[in-house]
Amino acid sequence: LFHHMTAFPQFGGEPTSYTRFSIARQVDGDNSHVEMKLAADDEEGGEIGRPEHLHASMPPPRRNGKNLCFIVIAAVLLLLIGFLIGYLSYRGRMQRVNRCLDGSGNCEMTPTASYLSEDGTEEEEVPGPRALYWPELRNMLSAKLSAARLEANLRQREGKSSFEAGTVEDESTAIYIHDQFTSFRLDDVWNDEHYIRLQDKGSSNNQVFIVEDGREDLLESPDAYVAYSKSDTVTGKPIYVNYGRKEDFQKIQNMGVPMNESIIIFRAGKITLAEKVANAREEGAVGALMFLDSSDDKGTGSLVPFGHAHLGTGDPFTPGFPSFNHTQFPPVESSGLPRIPVQTISSQAAAALFRKMDGEKCLPDWTSSVMGCKVTVSNTNKMTVKLTVNNVMVDRKILNIFGVIKGFEEPDRYVVLGAQRDSWGPGAAKAGVGTAILLELAHVISDMVKNDDYKPRRSIIFASWSAGEYGAVGATEWLEGYSTTLHAKAFTYINLDTAVLGSRHMKISASPLLYSLLETTLKRVKDPIKDSGYLYSRVGSDWIKRVVPLDLDNAAFPFLAYSGIPVVSFGFYDEGDEYSFLGTTQDTLFNLKKRTDKLYALMLTAAEVAGQIALRLTHNHELFLDFARYSEELLSFQEKLVPFDSNVKALGLTLNWLYFARGDFQRAADALRRDIENSDRENRIVRRALNDRMMKVEYDFLSPFLSPKDAPFRHIFFGKGSHTLQSLLENLEQLVVNKDSVDVNKLKEQLALATWTIKGAANALVGDIWNTDNEI
């Protein structure tokens, strides 16, 4: 109960009111309400709250009731007349604006610029050029995109066998992109140089042997290799572990098969190679082999993919630091390096290995396209596998190429569109499609600005990354180099990599902040496979349930999990029929076109989706970021925690503080929405302040209690580590299965990290410190 006393003496007059506030709030934040009780001072005596010296020094004022009444009535009438004139004028103007925004009316309006000048006075309204409203802008983008130019850009990779990062081919492609950006008349074009350590194949190919009765038979010696593998020779019993996920290893444990000192075999898919290797090392394996789950029926049985085994992104030899200009860094290595030899093999080699294994047959759901699948060898069989890896470390210079169209109102706020440029093979699907779309969007949007009077409020940056094959190295090094400023300036990253791998289905990965914008966009972009209809009909109304979590190999991942920048990554593919050539020397334009005869139409559609997202984010007054969506995500997470309430209480702990933090965030989101609805859209200062609060939502879910060097992916929803909400949930599930196996102190720390990170995000969303909710 708070008591608030107001005394407004008018030339010595009596205090006008005594106000009592009684505030009642609910824990979950859904229906908080404020109850206010006002008590008139006159009823309690006119002398309450007035200092005694006022009685002695100031005589009571004289009032003429009749004159005062006339003055009050006249003032009220003037106020009402002014209000009605202003309201009707504003309402008429906003109706015209809304008709233009939804495309239903005439858009021939002349925008005005009416803002405060430097001396604080309001400037005269100055007519500007004709405004381009969203429907007109959207149609202009669609009309200007060209399938012919996309094809020409993609064909730049024809006839070349490799674009490995830091090589002559990679650098010549970088120079070509730089020249293209310049020819498009972008406002600025530049490049960043990074000096990084990569791993290359040694003087001879790596080798895999089958060892029986002291005899070594060569199984395979492929041209491909796995970057950041340990260079060594190891021997061990072969054990097949399906996709190499934690649940797959758990099934092997349940079968009573010891994995210590073994060589683990797994097929590609579901999770990244680096995650598979990390799981194998955790079980005590001395080496790992991975094969593509493909068959000779498709002509892919001999394919061997390239890959990397670093459980992280960026240069693993400068973790947390940018690799600029040969700067000297502490002699540290990333903890995500595998520390065991790793090699990829063909499915033909995997089949030959299975034929030598005489142990238990694979579980029904583990059977791949490779015939004769076995889990391991029998106890009496002494057959082993020998793996020799002789990769070498090399220092290389890589280039990231950038171009920018600067915003006319807020040039220091920007959307970034990016695509990987390098590839171990021709990389038509891996890097060619994304690079072609990047160049086309730069060309078209620049043309709209230069020739069609389009003036984006905010900037658009186009980025071509190198060393993406090694774990988004180019993108991560850029983020590390500008980590103190990017999260406050870049408010969305749009990833263009692998945008076309098929035609029948669509895969989407995105921050919840962009769900609403994505849905709006999908409803307005036509499906190239169907004669009529839009992409939204392809994904369905429940598409959010099928959003795919970003993996470490996606360049968007470090933007989201390391820098706290909202991201979107999407592409066309064929579910259940993966594009087998990805990451191999056969990722050619010929093979990609065999996958779909609508290649260029699909590329055009992908460009339109990415272009509409970028334009909408830089065109609207208000950023199209749905911050309220995180309230739903937090509520969904809370519902998953409820079944563990009793288990947590048994430890003397409670989940209530986490629930309170969730309620605080919801109230903060509601408060920001009210602030936006009640704000003046024409006031730049107010609008920028509100947009900045929306921009920071993603960043505020990076746990501030962790070191970016030790735990770079600090996002509690999408990061990696024990601080994530998913890790907390897994620990609570383990509490039910085996209470004694749970480290209670670790659980306490997880609860604290989650609670205070969410609470901090709520405080930041509210804005000013005096508006924060301190119930927790």
Side-chain angles (χ1 to χ4, degrees), residues 587-653:
D587 181 14
T588 62
L589 179 57
F590 176 78
N591 283 327
L592 184 57
K593 290 179 70 175
K594 277 200 333 185
R595 169 51 61 115
T596 173
D597 58 355
K598 297 275 190 178
L599 173 62
Y600 301 116
L602 289 164
M603 289 174 63
L604 194 72
T605 302
E608 189 169 355
V609 171
Q612 281 201 28
I613 293 171
L615 290 179
R616 196 70 183 265
L617 287 168
T618 55
H619 170 266
N620 286 13
H621 286 283
E622 177 187 325
L623 287 179
F624 208 133
L625 298 177
D626 189 3
F627 53 87
R629 181 71 65 170
Y630 264 118
S631 293
E632 298 177 26
E633 296 293 320
L634 286 168
L635 182 58
S636 175
F637 175 69
Q638 178 174 316
E639 290 170 351
K640 294 177 183 177
L641 296 182
V642 170
F644 303 105
D645 270 339
S646 59
N647 303 93
V648 173
K649 286 179 181 177
L651 298 175
L653 304 174

Side-chain angles (χ1 to χ4, degrees), residues 70 255 575 688:
F70 285 144
M255 295 169 65
E575 189 174 352
R688 181 178 171 96

Side-chain angles (χ1 to χ4, degrees), residues 47 81 88 183 188 256 281 291 314 339 342 346 364 374 390 396 439 445 460 512 556 564 568 597 628 654 657 690 728:
E47 302 300 317
I81 292 170
L88 292 173
S183 70
D188 203 355
R281 183 189 171 203
F291 65 92
R339 318 291 181 189
V342 187
S346 66
K374 303 287 197 317
N390 54 15
R396 287 184 183 167
L439 289 171
I445 297 176
I460 303 175
V568 57
D597 58 355
T654 179
W657 299 113
L690 292 170
L728 170 60

Side-chain angles (χ1 to χ4, degrees), residues 433-449:
V433 168
T435 298
I437 294 173
L438 180 74
L439 289 171
E440 177 64 6
L441 286 172
H443 177 271
V444 167
I445 297 176
S446 179
D447 182 61
M448 291 166 64
V449 173

Side-chain angles (χ1 to χ4, degrees), residues 557-573:
F557 180 79
F559 275 86
L560 179 62
Y562 174 78
S563 293
I565 296 170
V567 302
V568 57
S569 181
F570 64 92
F572 299 98
Y573 77 114

Side-chain angles (χ1 to χ4, degrees), residues 187 405-411 449 454-459 684:
D187 293 325
I405 295 172
K406 294 180 180 178
F408 285 76
E409 188 175 302
E410 295 181 278
V449 173
Y454 173 50
K455 295 188 177 347
R457 284 188 171 82
R458 305 168 194 94
S459 301
R684 285 188 186 180

Side-chain angles (χ1 to χ4, degrees), residues 328-625:
Q328 296 300 308
F329 292 103
V332 294
E333 294 181 355
S334 169
S335 59
L337 288 172
R339 318 291 181 189
I340 61 173
V342 187
Q343 179 58 43
T344 48
I345 59 175
S346 66
S347 59
Q348 290 175 347
L353 182 55
F354 283 145
R355 286 194 293 269
K356 292 286 187 179
M357 295 162 61
D358 60 351
E360 293 187 45
K361 290 184 178 180
C362 291
L363 300 172
D365 58 337
W366 283 23
T367 304
S368 68
S369 59
V370 178
M371 299 298 293
C373 177
K374 303 287 197 317
V375 172
T376 186
V377 295
S378 64
N379 293 332
T380 58
N381 192 334
K382 302 301 181 185
M383 188 267 284
T384 58
V385 172
K386 179 182 176 182
L387 171 60
T388 298
V389 174
N390 54 15
N391 297 348
V392 295
M393 300 305 303
V394 294
D395 292 320
R396 287 184 183 167
K397 180 184 78 171
I398 62 170
L399 298 174
N400 290 329
I401 308 299
F402 301 93
V404 64
I405 295 172
K406 294 180 180 178
F408 285 76
E409 188 175 302
E410 295 181 278
D412 61 337
R413 299 290 185 267
Y414 33 82
V415 171
V416 183
L417 294 106
Q420 172 183 324
R421 185 181 67 247
D422 67 297
S423 60
W424 272 303
K430 190 70 176 286
V433 168
T435 298
I437 294 173
L438 180 74
L439 289 171
E440 177 64 6
L441 286 172
H443 177 271
V444 167
I445 297 176
S446 179
D447 182 61
M448 291 166 64
V449 173
K450 303 299 182 187
N451 301 318
D452 294 290
D453 291 329
Y454 173 50
K455 295 188 177 347
R457 284 188 171 82
R458 305 168 194 94
S459 301
I460 303 175
I461 292 178
F462 304 91
S464 173
W465 313 114
S466 185
E469 294 280 42
Y470 293 85
V473 173
T476 303
E477 296 306 312
W478 185 63
L479 291 170
E480 289 176 342
Y482 303 98
S483 60
T484 56
T485 58
L486 276 178
H487 72 272
K489 296 177 180 291
F491 56 88
T492 296
Y493 176 69
I494 304 169
N495 185 44
L496 304 175
D497 293 337
T498 59
V500 182
L501 298 176
S503 60
R504 295 196 298 270
H505 302 93
M506 195 170 183
K507 182 183 293 185
I508 297 173
S509 301
S511 159
L513 290 174
L514 294 169
Y515 286 173
S516 295
L517 176 54
L518 259 170
E519 183 165 308
T520 301
T521 303
L522 295 176
K523 287 179 178 178
R524 301 301 303 181
V525 177
K526 292 183 178 179
D527 192 328
I529 303 301
K530 300 177 182 178
D531 294 333
S532 61
Y534 294 89
L535 289 176
Y536 184 71
S537 62
R538 174 193 289 243
V539 299
S541 58
D542 60 344
W543 66 273
I544 292 176
K545 296 179 181 178
R546 297 186 297 278
V547 169
V548 181
L550 289 167
D551 62 48
L552 286 165
D553 289 342
N554 192 313
F557 180 79
F559 275 86
L560 179 62
Y562 174 78
S563 293
I565 296 170
V567 302
V568 57
S569 181
F570 64 92
F572 299 98
Y573 77 114
D574 296 331
E575 189 174 352
D577 184 19
E578 301 295 330
Y579 179 69
S580 302
F581 302 104
L582 198 67
T584 74
T585 56
Q586 296 303 307
D587 181 14
T588 62
L589 179 57
F590 176 78
N591 283 327
L592 184 57
K593 290 179 70 175
K594 277 200 333 185
R595 169 51 61 115
T596 173
D597 58 355
K598 297 275 190 178
L599 173 62
Y600 301 116
L602 289 164
M603 289 174 63
L604 194 72
T605 302
E608 189 169 355
V609 171
Q612 281 201 28
I613 293 171
L615 290 179
R616 196 70 183 265
L617 287 168
T618 55
H619 170 266
N620 286 13
H621 286 283
E622 177 187 325
L623 287 179
F624 208 133
L625 298 177

